[in-house]
C-alpha cells in the first residue's frame, strides 16, 4: 500500500527526516514511537503532502504510484487520510457544512452519534473544541473520508481514559477489526507517545523514531515494554 | 406594487403613492409620521434632506410578524434617490425587515438615505440591508436607532458587488435598561470600490449590551471601518470585532476600534485582525480531498457567514443565496 524509499526531508533548509524506509502492506498496522520533536508528525505531514515539508531525496509510493510530487488533495483522493494533532480552526465553516460538501450528510448523522459528536456538528470546525473533541472530530472526518491508509497522529493525547476506549473502539471499526483478516483491506500508520492506544488497537509492526530517523523494527508491544523500562534513548540503542 | 406583510417597493423618489394600513402594519408617506418621531433622533440638516420623501413604517403594539417585510429601493431611470424613512416598532412587537437597494442605471447614480428607527419597550427588530449597486453608484446611508427597555435591535449589512463609494454612518442609542443590540457588516470590496463604515453604539441605561462585528474582504477595493462603543451606564457590556481579509496586495483595509467609558462598572472589549487567507486552513481542507480553489471558497464563505441567531430562517436562506451567487461568479 505505502512504500517509502530512502526519504530525506527538509523544512526551510533544515533537515528533519533522514534516510527513511518504510513498507506498509495491505491490512498492516504500523506504529511509530518516539520522544517529542523526533520527527514523527513530520513524517505523516510529508506522506500527506504538506508543501512545507520538502522531499530532497527519495520517493513515496502509494498503491504502486509515485506520489512524491502530488498535491495534498490528490493524495487524499487516492486514499490517504490523516488524523491531525493540532488542526486549525475554521471560522464560519461547520462540520456539518463540510459533510454537505462531501455529500455525506446522512452517514455523518449516524457516525456522529457513535462518537458523541452531535453537539459539535453545527459548531465551526475546531473552534473552542476541547482536546478530546478535536480527536473525535478528526476521527469522524476520517470515517466520512473513508481512506485506505489511515495515518493517526497521537490519537490518544489530550483524551481522558474513558474516552480513549471509545476512540480505540472506533479506530478498530475504521480498520475493519470486525471483518476476518483476509477480508480487511485498510492499513494504518499510528504515532503514539504514550502507547495507550495499543490497549485497544492491535498493531503488526513497531519502530522508534529518534532525531528524524526510524530505528529498528519489532513487535510493537515489546518495543513499548522496552520504552517503559529504559526510556526512548536506551531503547533506541537496544534496537540498533 | 404594494403588498403589506410582504413587499414594500420604492422606486426613485416618490413614484408610488403609499398609503396602506393592514393587520397592524402601516406603511405611509414619511410626512405622515408623528412629530414625536420625525427628525427626532436624526439631525434636521442630515445629508441633503430638502425633500421629504420616503416611508413611515409603523408596526403596532404586540404585532408579531413571522415572515419578513421586504423593502426595496430601486433607482430605475433618474440619477438620484433621496430618502427619509422612519420606522417605529411599538412595544411588544416583533418584526424582520429585509431591505434591498439596487440601481438599474449603468451611468452614475446617487442614493442618499436617512433612517430613524424606534424600537419600543420589549420589541424586537431585525433589520437586514443588502446593497446591489453598480460601479458608478454613490451611496450615503445614515441610520439613527433608539432602543427602549427590554427591546432588541439586530442589524446586518451586506454589500458584495461593485460600487463607487459607500458611506455608512449608524448611531445606536440603547436607552432603556436590558436593551440589547447586535450589528454586523459584511463587505466584499472590489477594484475601484470605496467603503467608509462608521458604527457608534451608546450604552445609556443599566444592563444594556451591544455586539458589533465587521468582516471585510478586499479584492482591490478600499474598506475603512470605525467602530465605537460608549458606556454611560453601569453593568453594561460591549464588544467590537473587526476582521479583515486581504485576497491580494491590491486594495486596503483600515480598521479603527474605539472604546469609551464614563462609568466604572462596565465590560468593554474589542478584537481586530487583518491578514491574508490562511494557508494552514486551506491545506487542512485539501488533506480531506478538497481542491485548493474549493477550500479557498469555503473559507471565504465561512468568513462572511456571520451567525445571527435572531434572524428567521427565510432571511438566513436569502443571505446564503446571495453569498452562493457571489461564489458562483468567482470571489
Amino acid at each position: 500500500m505505502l512504500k517509502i524509499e530512502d526519504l530525506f526531508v527538509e523544512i526551510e533548509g533544515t533537515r528533519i527526516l533522514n534516510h527513511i524506509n518504510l513498507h506498509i502492506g495491505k491490512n498492516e498496522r504500523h506504529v511509530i514511537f518516539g520522544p517529542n520533536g523526533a520527527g514523527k508528525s513530520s513524517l505523516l505531514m510529508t506522506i500527506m503532502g504538506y508543501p512545507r515539508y520538502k522531499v530532497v531525496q527519495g520517493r513515496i509510493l502509494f498503491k504502486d504510484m509515485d506520489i512524491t510530487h502530488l498535491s495534498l488533495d490528490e493524495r487524499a483522493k487516492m486514499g490517504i487520510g490523516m488524523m491531525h494533532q493540532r488542526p486549525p480552526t475554521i471560522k464560519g465553516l461547520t462540520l456539518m457544512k463540510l459533510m454537505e460538501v462531501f455529500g455525506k450528510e446522512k452517514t455523518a448523522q449516524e457516525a456522529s452519534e457513535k462518537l458523541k459528536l452531535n453537539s459539535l456538528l453545527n459548531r465551526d470546525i475546531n473552534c473552542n473544541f476541547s482536546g478530546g473533541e478535536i480527536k473525535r472530530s478528526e476521527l469522524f472526518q476520517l470515517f466520512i473520508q473513508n481512506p485506505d491508509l489511515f495515518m493517526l497522529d497521537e490519537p490518544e493525547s489530550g483524551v481522558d481514559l474513558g474516552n480513549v476506549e471509545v476512540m480505540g473502539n472506533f479506530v478498530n471499526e475504521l480498520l475493519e477489526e470486525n471483518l476476518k483478516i483476509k477480508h480487511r483491506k485498510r492499513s494504518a500508520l499510528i504515532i503514539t507517545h504514550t502507547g495507550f492506544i495499543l490497549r485497544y488497537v492491535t498493531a503488526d509492526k513497531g519502530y522508534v523514531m529518534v532525531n528524524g530517523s526510524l530505528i529498528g523494527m519489532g513487535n510493537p508491544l515489546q518495543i513499548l515494554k522496552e520504552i517503559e523500562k529504559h526510556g526512548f534513548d536506551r531503547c533506541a540503542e537496544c534496537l540498533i | 406594487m404594494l403588498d403589506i406583510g410582504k413587499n414594500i417597493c420604492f422606486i426613485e423618489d416618490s413614484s408610488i403613492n403609499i398609503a396602506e394600513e393592514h393587520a397592524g402594519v402601516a406603511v405611509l408617506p414619511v410626512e405622515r409620521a408623528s412629530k414625536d418621531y420625525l427628525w427626532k433622533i436624526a439631525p434636521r440638516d442630515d445629508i441633503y434632506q430638502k425633500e421629504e420623501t420616503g416611508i413611515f413604517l409603523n408596526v403596532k403594539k404586540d404585532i408579531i410578524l413571522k415572515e419578513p417585510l421586504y423593502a426595496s429601493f430601486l433607482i430605475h431611470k433618474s440619477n438620484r434617490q433621496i430618502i427619509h424613512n422612519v420606522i417605529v416598532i411599538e412595544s411588544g412587537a416583533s418584526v424582520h425587515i429585509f431591505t434591498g437597494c439596487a440601481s438599474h442605471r449603468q451611468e452614475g447614480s446617487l442614493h442618499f438615505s436617512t433612517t430613524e428607527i424606534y424600537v419600543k419597550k420589549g420589541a424586537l427588530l431585525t433589520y437586514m440591508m443588502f446593497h446591489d449597486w453598480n460601479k458608478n453608484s454613490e451611496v450615503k446611508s445614515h441610520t439613527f436607532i433608539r432602543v427602549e427597555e427590554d427591546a432588541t435591535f439586530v442589524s446586518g449589512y451586506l454589500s458584495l458587488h461593485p460600487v463607487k463609494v459607500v458611506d455608512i454612518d449608524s448611531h445606536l442609542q440603547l436607552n432603556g435598561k436590558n436593551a440589547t443590540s447586535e450589528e454586523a457588516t459584511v463587505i466584499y470590496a472590489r477594484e475601484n470600490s470605496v467603503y467608509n463604515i462608521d458604527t457608534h453604539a451608546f450604552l445609556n441605561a443599566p444592563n444594556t449590551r451591544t455586539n458589533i462585528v465587521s468582516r471585510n474582504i478586499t479584492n482591490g477595493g478600499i474598506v475603512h471601518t470605525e467602530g465605537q462603543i460608549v458606556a454611560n451606564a453601569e453593568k453594561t457590556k460591549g464588544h467590537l470585532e473587526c476582521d479583515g481579509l486581504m485576497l491580494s496586495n491590491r486594495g486596503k483595509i483600515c480598521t479603527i476600534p474605539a472604546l469609551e467609558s464614563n462609568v466604572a462598572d462596565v465590560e468593554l472589549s474589542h478584537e481586530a485582525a487583518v491578514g491574508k487567507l490562511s494557508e494552514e486552513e486551506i491545506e487542512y481542507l485539501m488533506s480531506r480531498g478538497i481542491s485548493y480553489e474549493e477550500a479557498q471558497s469555503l473559507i471565504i464563505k465561512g468568513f462572511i457567514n456571520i451567525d445571527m441567531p435572531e434572524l428567521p430562517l427565510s432571511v438566513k436562506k436569502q443571505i446564503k443565496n446571495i453569498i452562493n451567487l457571489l461564489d458562483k461568479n468567482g470571489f
Side-chain angles (χ1 to χ4, degrees), chain B residues 96-134:
Chain B
H96 308 287
I97 299 178
F98 193 100
T99 314
C101 301
S103 174
H104 285 175
R105 285 169 57 89
Q106 283 310 307
E107 306 85 43
S109 60
L110 307 168
H111 168 97
F112 299 138
S113 73
T114 304
T115 305
E116 294 180 87
I117 298 177
Y118 300 82
V119 189
K120 302 225 171 167
K121 192 175 172 183
L124 164 77
L125 171 63
T126 72
Y127 188 76
M128 281 301 307
M129 201 200 292
F130 171 59
H131 273 174
D132 182 9
W133 302 106
N134 67 49

Side-chain angles (χ1 to χ4, degrees), chain B residues 91-202:
Chain B
S91 61
S94 169
V95 185
H96 308 287
I97 299 178
F98 193 100
T99 314
C101 301
S103 174
H104 285 175
R105 285 169 57 89
Q106 283 310 307
E107 306 85 43
S109 60
L110 307 168
H111 168 97
F112 299 138
S113 73
T114 304
T115 305
E116 294 180 87
I117 298 177
Y118 300 82
V119 189
K120 302 225 171 167
K121 192 175 172 183
L124 164 77
L125 171 63
T126 72
Y127 188 76
M128 281 301 307
M129 201 200 292
F130 171 59
H131 273 174
D132 182 9
W133 302 106
N134 67 49
K135 61 181 184 345
N136 296 315
S137 303
E138 281 180 62
V139 180
K140 275 185 199 295
S141 172
H142 293 186
T143 310
F144 300 84
I145 309 118
R146 183 183 286 173
V147 186
E148 290 185 2
E149 191 176 330
D150 295 322
T152 304
F153 173 72
V154 177
S155 81
Y157 173 72
L158 198 63
S159 181
L160 308 171
H161 295 108
V163 65
K164 191 172 173 190
V165 184
V166 171
D167 285 335
I168 287 187
D169 195 3
S170 94
H171 293 256
L172 170 84
Q173 310 276 347
L174 295 175
N175 280 1
K177 61 179 184 192
N178 306 321
T180 59
S181 74
E182 180 102 26
E183 292 177 278
T185 38
V186 173
I187 286 160
Y188 185 91
R190 292 164 192 273
E191 198 103 38
N192 301 320
S193 295
V194 178
Y195 288 87
N196 296 302
I197 312 287
D198 287 2
T199 313
H200 310 269
F202 298 85

